[in-house]
Amino acid sequence: MVCSLIEWSGRSWLATIHCEQESCRRIGGELGAGDQRFSDRRNLSREAYTAIRELIMSGGLAPGTHVAVRPLSERFGLSPTPIRTALAQLTRDGLLEARDRRGFFVPALNHDDLLDIYELREAVDAVASRRASELPDRSSLASKLRELLQKMRTAVETDDLESYGELDVEFHGAIWAAARNQRLVAIADNLQAQVRAGNRISATAPGRLPFALREHVEIVEAIESGDPVRAESAARHHVRQAKLALSGLLD
């Protein structure tokens, strides 16, 4: 029997008519394997993206650093193809910049760049906090945020800025997720990655962290009370104060 039509099964391409001919079995197998190879390449690119992004966010790749394919390929045990794909995506996300004939570099954000990012972050956090305050189950979110606040207090008391920074990211990430707006989460996550360096700087401003903690408390209380206007205002105030602290250190 000769197969005249091939269809998608949901996992691979299969012949419409069952056929025992070797040529048909070979076609189905090759197409299915091709689909698997495509999936594998996509997964490897995603892994490379996540690993390189974390290096940038943690400071492992400092601003101004030249990011070359070969060292990353050797470091992560991946071929150059998924590394290049990841670098291209990171460039589109604003976490890398491509320079003609020179390759990829971690952007060295200047004073104005950071303040622009904080301005966008203010708008995103305001929307997220407002939406979170309107949730029927906002009390569970408030409980989670209070647990994070307690850990943040401990980090401040022990002068552990690194832990405080990670907890701060988790705190705001919980509010973004609670907003139940996937586009907002994607934008906020991208901005967070770009502003990570600014956060580290603003946290070192003399006396900033105790004020920041109180601002976090105000956000939690506003969300828990179900007051969207107050929640939005508290979020805006917090980001503006962080922006002012950063600006004062950079001037």
Side-chain angles (χ1 to χ4, degrees):
M1 184 180 294
V2 178
C3 298
S4 59
L5 181 63
I6 295 175
E7 65 179 357
W8 178 248
S9 71
R11 291 179 61 87
S12 61
W13 293 95
L14 299 173
T16 301
I17 303 173
H18 180 70
C19 176
E20 294 300 325
Q21 292 187 41
E22 178 62 27
S23 60
C24 290
R25 291 200 299 273
R26 186 171 62 251
I27 290 172
E30 288 175 353
L31 288 168
D35 174 61
Q36 183 60 50
R37 286 194 296 271
F38 175 77
S39 177
D40 290 344
R41 285 197 300 270
R42 186 167 54 188
N43 289 337
L44 289 175
S45 297
R46 187 179 298 114
E47 290 175 13
Y49 174 92
T50 301
I52 299 168
R53 185 178 187 273
E54 181 55 34
L55 278 177
I56 296 170
M57 291 180 64
S58 67
L61 290 173
T65 300
H66 177 224
V67 182
V69 171
R70 184 174 178 180
L72 290 173
S73 180
E74 294 173 351
R75 177 170 184 164
F76 299 123
L78 296 171
S79 70
T81 299
I83 298 295
R84 292 193 187 97
T85 301
L87 295 181
Q89 182 60 53
L90 288 162
T91 300
R92 289 191 289 273
D93 290 347
L95 299 179
L96 289 176
E97 58 183 27
R99 300 178 186 174
D100 290 343
R101 301 179 183 177
R102 297 181 61 191
F104 298 95
F105 289 80
V106 180
L109 299 177
N110 60 34
H111 178 277
D112 290 339
D113 291 329
L114 287 170
L115 296 187
D116 285 347
I117 293 170
Y118 269 95
E119 186 173 6
L120 293 173
R121 172 73 186 275
E122 178 187 329
V124 169
D125 277 31
V127 172
S129 296
R130 185 187 73 232
R131 289 175 65 99
S133 73
E134 296 170 335
L135 293 173
D137 58 343
R138 58 184 177 274
S139 59
S140 60
L141 171 63
S143 296
K144 179 179 181 179
L145 295 176
R146 289 189 188 283
E147 290 177 8
L148 290 171
L149 274 174
Q150 186 54 50
K151 294 177 181 178
M152 292 166 79
R153 289 191 185 94
T154 301
V156 172
E157 291 168 0
T158 57
D159 199 29
D160 187 351
L161 291 181
E162 183 175 351
S163 293
Y164 178 88
E166 294 300 327
L167 291 165
D168 181 71
V169 170
E170 189 174 353
F171 179 94
H172 290 287
I175 297 175
W176 301 336
R180 298 177 183 175
N181 182 324
Q182 291 304 310
R183 288 181 175 83
L184 181 146
V185 172
I187 293 170
D189 192 50
N190 181 266
L191 290 173
Q192 177 65 37
Q194 294 184 59
V195 84
R196 193 72 172 269
N199 284 347
R200 287 195 294 267
I201 296 170
S202 65
T204 65
R208 170 61 191 151
L209 289 186
F211 284 103
L213 279 173
R214 285 198 287 273
E215 291 158 14
H216 284 101
V217 171
E218 291 171 3
I219 293 172
V220 176
E221 290 178 347
I223 289 174
E224 191 170 32
S225 70
D227 187 337
V229 174
R230 181 183 169 197
E232 179 174 340
S233 177
R236 286 189 181 278
H237 176 71
H238 172 59
V239 178
R240 285 174 184 170
Q241 291 305 114
K243 178 181 174 181
L244 286 172
L246 174 65
S247 183
L249 289 172
L250 295 178
D251 284 342

